[in-house]
């Protein structure tokens, strides 16, 4: 049984998958299996994966018709045999010690989830850094959820987190959704956890591509973010401070969709009005007063006030 199962969903990632796989295969922690789930690619992705599999038998390839990244991740998870599981995007890369550091942290602290920092890269990275501070902190579930909802230290993506396989056995990616399905998976995983360990070292290299979903203009897939924001809020109702943070991320989600939908509001008249009504019915004051009282937001609270100001200008036109 390998220490870690690395799950990589692949769809038409032929330009990147070799670099991604090499960054995984060259990890200092060698006891891993690499499960590549080919999600119906029609480019050279599959051929490149088979070529690398001939060189390194730790690669396991699963083929399926195109069913989306959530289905691919779930299939990979079902076939994983490692004590821990990590999900990697097919166009990103890892620092050579990322898995060793996350695994060591998880074992040393008996944590359910081990998290590292993320380096967002807009062009090819330079020579890999070789200095590792690796100072880590153990955090509670509530603290981790707070950071997740506020967009702070806990990223919404699943890719910079090592999950204990037994902890996420009953947690799955919701299929058929296109945006924030990974955030909801992380949220549900945190609820299942007892302890999380966090290292600020930026060990995951996230490449910001111009054609990514979040860089595209408005489409109906953006309603998925509202669906998950609503679900998170409903699940945190009555959990004291966490409910306030859930309301905050709910407002952020609805405002973001409203802002993106605004140029297309004539095409989505009914949905546009529903988003406005939702924002108006959500209590701003309780969120802002709690922010000020706890004094944990700083610049974030200023950003929030600017957001509300823009919103009021937007809906008054």
């Amino acid at each position: 049984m390998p220490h870690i199962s690395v799950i990589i969903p692949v769809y038409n990632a032929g330009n990147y998958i070799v670099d991604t796989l090499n960054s995984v295969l060259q990890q200092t922690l060698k006891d891993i299996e690499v499960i590549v789930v080919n999600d119906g690619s029609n480019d050279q992705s599959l051929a490149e994966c088979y070529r690398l599999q001939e060189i390194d038998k730790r690669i396991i390839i699963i083929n399926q018709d195109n069913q989306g990244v959530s289905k691919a991740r779930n299939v990979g998870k079902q076939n994983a045999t490692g004590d821990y599981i990590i999900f990697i995007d097919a166009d990103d890369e890892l620092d050579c010690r990322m898995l060793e550091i996350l695994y060591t942290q998880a074992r040393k602290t008996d944590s359910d989830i081990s998290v590292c920092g993320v380096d967002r890269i807009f062009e090819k990275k330079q020579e890999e850094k070789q200095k590792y501070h690796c100072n880590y902190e153990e955090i509670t579930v509530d603290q981790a959820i707070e950071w997740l909802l506020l967009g702070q230290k806990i990223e919404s993506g699943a890719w910079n987190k090592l999950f204990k396989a037994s902890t996420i056995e009953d947690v799955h990616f919701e299929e058929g959704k296109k945006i924030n399905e990974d955030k909801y998976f992380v949220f549900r995983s945190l609820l299942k956890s007892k302890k999380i360990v966090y290292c600020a070292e930026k060990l995951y290299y996230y490449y910001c591509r111009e054609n990514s979903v979040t860089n595209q203009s408005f489409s109906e897939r953006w309603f998925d973010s509202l669906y998950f924001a609503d679900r998170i809020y409903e699940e945190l109702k009555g959990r004291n401070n966490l409910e306030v943070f859930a309301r905050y991320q709910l407002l952020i989600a609805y405002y973001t969709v409203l802002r993106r939908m605004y140029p297309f509001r004539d095409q989505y008249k009914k949905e546009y009005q529903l988003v406005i009504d939702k924002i108006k019915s959500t209590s701003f004051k309780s969120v802002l007063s709690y922010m000020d009282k706890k004094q944990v937001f700083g610049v974030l609270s200023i950003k929030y006030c600017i957001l509300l100001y823009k919103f009021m200008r937007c809906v008054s036109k």
Side-chain angles (χ1 to χ4, degrees):
M1 182 181 292
H3 291 326
I4 297 175
S5 296
V6 181
I7 298 171
I8 309 177
V10 177
Y11 176 72
N12 290 350
N15 293 332
Y16 318 111
I17 188 60
V18 172
D19 288 341
T20 300
L21 278 173
N22 280 332
S23 78
V24 175
L25 298 173
Q26 293 166 9
Q27 289 291 299
T28 54
L29 179 67
K30 302 301 182 184
D31 190 8
I32 63 175
E33 64 178 3
V34 185
I35 302 176
V36 174
V37 183
N38 177 50
D39 189 35
S41 297
N42 52 31
D43 67 350
Q44 72 272 28
S45 297
L46 185 57
E48 295 286 9
C49 292
Y50 278 128
R51 182 177 65 81
L52 288 175
Q53 187 185 46
E54 288 299 313
I55 301 171
D56 196 320
K57 298 304 181 183
R58 291 178 296 175
I59 297 177
I60 301 165
I61 298 174
I62 299 173
N63 281 302
Q64 66 177 34
D65 294 334
N66 181 238
Q67 299 178 66
V69 65
S70 291
K71 178 65 175 180
R73 285 169 170 166
N74 286 336
V75 167
K77 179 171 168 286
Q78 289 165 9
N79 287 273
T81 63
D83 296 323
Y84 293 82
I85 294 174
I86 191 167
F87 302 91
I88 303 297
D89 281 359
D91 59 349
D92 294 332
E93 296 175 31
L94 314 184
D95 182 282
C96 66
R97 287 194 61 202
M98 176 176 163
L99 296 185
E100 180 183 354
I101 290 170
L102 291 182
Y103 179 75
T104 301
Q105 287 180 174
R107 292 296 299 271
K108 186 181 293 186
T109 61
D110 190 27
S111 292
D112 298 283
I113 304 176
S114 181
V115 187
C116 69
V118 177
D119 192 3
R120 283 177 164 74
I121 301 173
F122 291 87
E123 55 186 51
K124 188 66 178 176
K125 67 180 176 63
Q126 302 301 312
E127 184 177 350
E128 208 170 80
K129 299 176 183 177
Q130 295 299 322
K131 293 182 179 179
Y132 301 97
H133 305 293
C134 303
N135 295 321
Y136 62 85
E137 56 181 313
E138 299 175 50
I139 58 176
T140 64
V141 171
D142 281 9
Q143 179 68 76
I145 291 176
E146 178 183 325
W147 284 350
L148 174 69
L149 298 180
L150 299 182
Q152 294 182 334
K153 295 179 182 181
I154 301 295
E155 298 267 350
S156 61
W159 15 256
N160 65 325
K161 301 167 182 68
L162 185 68
F163 301 90
K164 186 180 290 185
S166 58
T167 299
I168 62 170
E169 184 177 359
D170 298 324
V171 184
H172 309 288
F173 291 90
E174 187 156 343
E175 298 172 18
K177 302 296 182 182
K178 303 286 182 67
I179 296 179
N180 277 5
E181 74 288 345
D182 47 354
K183 180 177 182 178
Y184 187 67
F185 177 88
V186 172
F187 169 71
R188 293 293 301 164
S189 300
L190 290 173
L191 288 181
K192 291 276 187 177
S193 301
K194 295 180 180 178
K195 188 190 298 183
I196 298 94
V197 60
Y198 172 78
C199 169
E201 190 91 19
K202 295 181 178 180
L203 304 172
Y204 187 89
Y205 303 134
Y206 179 93
Y207 284 91
C208 302
R209 315 287 181 183
E210 290 184 1
N211 61 346
S212 68
V213 169
T214 50
N215 287 330
Q216 295 173 6
S217 60
F218 186 79
S219 67
E220 291 186 5
R221 69 177 60 195
W222 279 97
F223 295 133
D224 292 346
S225 64
L226 305 184
Y227 168 81
F228 287 119
D230 283 329
R231 290 198 65 172
I232 290 172
Y233 178 66
E234 289 300 321
E235 292 185 44
L236 289 180
K237 272 186 176 179
R239 289 194 60 168
N240 300 324
N241 301 340
L242 289 182
E243 180 178 342
V244 180
F245 297 131
R247 188 180 298 125
Y248 170 82
Q249 65 94 38
L250 187 75
L251 288 169
I252 292 294
Y254 272 84
Y255 173 78
T256 300
V257 170
L258 180 72
R259 179 172 54 82
R260 285 184 173 271
M261 196 194 309
Y262 186 71
F264 309 94
R265 58 194 180 281
D266 290 337
Q267 298 172 232
Y268 298 94
K269 289 182 179 179
K270 181 179 178 181
E271 294 85 354
Y272 182 74
Q273 188 58 52
L274 286 173
V275 171
I276 290 177
D277 292 343
K278 179 70 174 184
I279 297 176
K280 287 182 175 179
S281 67
T282 305
S283 173
F284 295 121
K285 290 184 178 180
S286 63
V287 177
L288 288 172
S289 63
Y290 185 78
M291 289 179 184
D292 294 337
K293 183 178 180 181
K294 197 173 183 188
Q295 296 180 340
V296 296
F297 287 80
V299 174
L300 187 59
S301 62
I302 297 174
K303 176 182 175 182
Y304 183 84
C305 292
I306 294 173
L307 179 153
L308 292 180
Y309 172 71
K310 288 181 177 180
F311 160 71
M312 295 309 295
R313 288 190 61 190
C314 179
V315 298
S316 63
K317 292 182 179 179

